[in-house]
Amino acid sequence: MRVVMVGAGNVATNLCYALQKVGHEVTQVYSHHLSHAKDLAQEIGTEAYTDDFSTLCEADLVILCVKDDALGAVATRVAERYQTEETPPIVVHTAGSMCMDLIPMPRRGVIYPMQTFSKSYRVDFQHIPLFVEASDPSTASILKDFAHTLSDQVYELSSADRQYLHLAAVFCCNFANHCMDMGATVLEKHGIPFRVMLPLIDETTRKLHTLPPREAQTGPAARKDDNVMSRQIDILQRDGEELLATIYQLLSRNIQIFQSYDK
Amino acid sequence: MRVVMVGAGNVATNLCYALQKVGHEVTQVYSHHLSHAKDLAQEIGTEAYTDDFSTLCEADLVILCVKDDALGAVATRVAERYQTEETPPIVVHTAGSMCMDLIPMPRRGVIYPMQTFSKSYRVDFQHIPLFVEASDPSTASILKDFAHTLSDQVYELSSADRQYLHLAAVFCCNFANHCMDMGATVLEKHGIPFRVMLPLIDETTRKLHTLPPREAQTGPAARKDDNVMSRQIDILQRDGEELLATIYQLLSRNIQIFQSYDK
C-alpha cells in the first residue's frame, strides 16, 4: 500500500521501519517539527513535510501518529485536504485512548499497536498485538489485511474497549517501568549498579507467562512482613525520598487488599 | 557439602532443588509446619523435622530460610544446639533485609539470592545473583566457593548495602508485579484476556537491558498528556476503583518529577 505517515515520533519511526520491511511504500512523512520529519524521511528514503497538509499526495492509507492532544486538529485538516477527492484514502490513528470518530473521513479507522516504543530501539512488529477498528466492514477488512502484513496478532476492538486496554497498558508497562526507575534511584544513591537487578526483573516478567500476577506476587507486603516494610519506609525517609515512601505505603496497602481478595 | 535446610517455603524449595542438582547433600529439612517439611523432604528424598532443633545433625552448613520475623528466634535456637560442638557448622540466612549478626554463631554469613521464588515454578539458580556476606575471611572464602557451585553471579555485599538492594528489589519486582496485577484487574473487569498484555510486558523488561528505566519511560505521564490522564482516572473512578485512581495519580506525578530531573 502507498502510505503517508503523519508524525515522526517513537511510534511513527518504528512503524515506518516495519512498513518498509514488509514492502509497503511510505510516500511522505509529516511532522510538526520539520527536522524530525527530515530525520525519519532520510532514514527510510522518502520526502519530509511539515504542517502544510495541502501538499498531501494521493495515497491508500494515511496514518496519524501524533500526540493525542493534537490528533483532533490534525485529523480535521487532513480531512479538509481530501474532501474534494473522489476516492479519498482511509485515514487511521494509532492512539490507545482516542475515539475513532475523531477522524472526519468516510473511511476511517484505528490501528493501535500495543507496545512501548523508543526511537533509539527498534522493535519487531511481528509479535506486537495490533487492535483494529474501522468505520465499516469493507474498511475493516482492508485494515485487518494490512495489519496482518505487519503482525501475526491482529484483533478487532471497539473504541470503548480500547480505552480499558490502554489503561491496563499504562499499569502493566508505564507504571511497571516507573517502579524499575524508583528501584534504580535507590541503587544509584548507594552506588550499586542497576544491571544486578536484571535477572530478577526478567524473571518477574517470565513468571507471568505461567502464573497470573496475583499468584506471582511475592515480597514483604504479600507476606505481611511489617518489620521489613517499616524498615524500608524508614530508609526512604532517611534518604529524603518522601514521595517514594508514600508510594511504598500505598502500593503495599493495595497488594495486601488484592491478596485478601484471593483467599 | 552436607547442608541442613531450615525452612520449606518458596526460597527453601527452590534452593533445595538447586543444591541437589549440583551435588550437595541436603541431610535434613526443618519447618515450623511439619507437613511443609515433609512435602519438601519427600520431593528431594531426605528427612523432615519440625521445631525441635535438638535433632539437628552435624553438618557443614545450616541455611536458615525462614520468615524474617522468625529469623532471630530460630537462629538463637539453632546456635544453642551447636554451642557444645567443637567444630560447629557455618550458619547462614538468605534474607535481603536482615542483618548477618542476628545469627549468634562464630562462623556465620548471608547468602541472599536476589530472585522472586514461587513453589510452583522452579527457577534456574545458575544466573541468579547471590550476594554473600561472612563473619570472617575464611568463612567468606568457603561461602563464596559454595555460592559459585550454584550460580555464576556471586557478589560480596555488606548487610547495610544489602538493605538498599532489597529495597530496590521490592520496587523492581514486587511493586512492578503489582502494577501488572492492577492492569489485569482492569482487563478482567472488561472481559479482555491478560495474555494480550504479555508482548508489551516482555518488551518493557527487554528494553531495560539496553536503556536505563528513566530513558525507557513512555506513556501519558511521561509525555504530559493531561487529557488521557484525566480520562483514565475517570474510568477508574467510574469503575469504583478509588485506590487505583489514587495510585494512578501518585505514580503519574512521580513519573513527571523524575522526567524533569532528566532535563
Side-chain angles (χ1 to χ4, degrees), chain B residues 31-100:
Chain B
S31 172
H32 181 56
H33 306 281
L34 183 60
S35 66
H36 296 179
K38 277 185 172 162
D39 287 347
L40 177 53
Q42 192 173 20
E43 279 187 77
I44 60 166
T46 188
E47 300 295 317
Y49 299 83
T50 182
D51 288 335
D52 177 11
F53 293 118
S54 69
T55 55
L56 269 170
C57 297
E58 267 186 46
D60 301 308
L61 180 65
V62 177
I63 301 179
L64 310 180
C65 262
V66 299
K67 280 194 170 180
D68 288 3
D69 52 9
L71 189 56
V74 167
T76 303
R77 289 168 53 218
V78 167
E80 279 164 7
R81 153 67 184 88
Y82 288 116
Q83 76 190 349
T84 56
E85 294 277 322
E86 225 169 284
T87 51
I90 299 173
V91 180
V92 300
H93 73 67
T94 57
S97 276
M98 306 302 280
C99 179
M100 175 181 69

Side-chain angles (χ1 to χ4, degrees), chain A:
Chain A
M1 286 177 97
R2 287 168 312 160
V3 180
V4 174
M5 181 63 66
V6 180
N10 297 342
V11 179
T13 301
N14 277 278
L15 193 48
C16 276
Y17 275 94
L19 287 168
Q20 218 178 29
K21 196 176 152 195
V22 300
H24 297 291
E25 188 192 351
V26 182
T27 56
Q28 299 181 292
V29 171
Y30 282 79
S31 172
H32 181 56
H33 306 283
L34 183 59
S35 66
H36 296 181
K38 277 187 174 163
D39 287 349
L40 177 54
Q42 192 172 20
E43 279 187 76
I44 61 166
T46 187
E47 299 296 317
Y49 300 83
T50 181
D51 288 337
D52 177 10
F53 292 118
S54 70
T55 56
L56 269 170
C57 298
E58 266 185 46
D60 302 309
L61 180 66
V62 177
I63 302 179
L64 310 179
C65 263
V66 299
K67 279 194 171 180
D68 289 2
D69 52 10
L71 189 56
V74 167
T76 303
R77 290 169 52 216
V78 167
E80 278 164 8
R81 153 66 184 89
Y82 288 115
Q83 73 190 353
T84 57
E85 294 277 323
E86 224 168 284
T87 51
I90 300 173
V91 180
V92 301
H93 73 66
T94 58
S97 277
M98 306 303 280
C99 179
M100 176 179 68
D101 291 332
L102 267 179
I103 302 171
M105 293 287 291
R107 293 190 301 158
R108 61 194 178 280
V110 177
I111 300 175
Y112 170 49
M114 198 178 61
Q115 192 48 281
T116 169
F117 297 99
S118 303
K119 274 192 197 179
S120 55
Y121 189 87
R122 297 279 166 273
V123 296
D124 181 2
F125 255 76
Q126 206 190 327
H127 304 301
I128 295 179
L130 299 180
F131 295 90
V132 173
E133 183 181 11
S135 48
D136 57 275
S138 122
T139 304
S141 158
I142 294 169
L143 290 181
K144 279 193 287 184
D145 286 349
F146 171 76
H148 271 297
T149 65
L150 292 168
S151 167
D152 52 21
Q153 289 195 48
V154 176
Y155 304 89
E156 231 179 311
L157 198 76
S158 71
S159 286
D161 278 349
R162 198 173 55 250
Q163 283 210 332
Y164 303 124
L165 190 72
H166 186 221
L167 174 57
V170 167
F171 278 97
C172 291
C173 166
N174 307 144
F175 289 167
N177 182 76
H178 183 55
C179 289
M180 317 288 184
D181 199 1
M182 292 188 282
T185 302
V186 171
L187 292 175
E188 198 183 3
K189 211 156 199 164
H190 299 285
I192 304 170
F194 180 67
R195 65 179 158 67
V196 301
M197 211 48 80
L198 289 173
L200 175 63
I201 291 172
D202 289 344
E203 179 64 17
T204 302
T205 308
R206 211 162 59 90
K207 256 175 144 172
L208 297 178
H209 286 257
T210 53
L211 291 176
R214 185 75 41 93
E215 231 176 282
Q217 189 67 54
T218 56
R223 62 173 187 267
K224 298 195 184 72
D225 195 332
D226 295 328
N227 287 329
V228 170
M229 282 191 279
S230 63
R231 237 172 318 127
Q232 295 197 323
I233 291 163
D234 281 351
I235 292 175
L236 290 169
Q237 287 171 336
R238 216 170 51 212
D239 276 359
E241 299 283 6
E242 282 303 329
L243 196 50
L244 295 201
T246 306
I247 290 171
Y248 185 105
Q249 284 167 305
L250 200 58
L251 291 177
S252 295
R253 189 176 140 208
N254 208 50
I255 287 172
Q256 296 189 331
I257 292 172
F258 275 29
Q259 292 293 315
S260 75
Y261 291 156
D262 210 31
K263 269 135 206 172

Side-chain angles (χ1 to χ4, degrees), chain B residues 163-175:
Chain B
Q163 283 209 332
Y164 302 124
L165 189 72
H166 186 221
L167 173 57
V170 167
F171 278 97
C172 291
C173 166
N174 307 143
F175 289 167

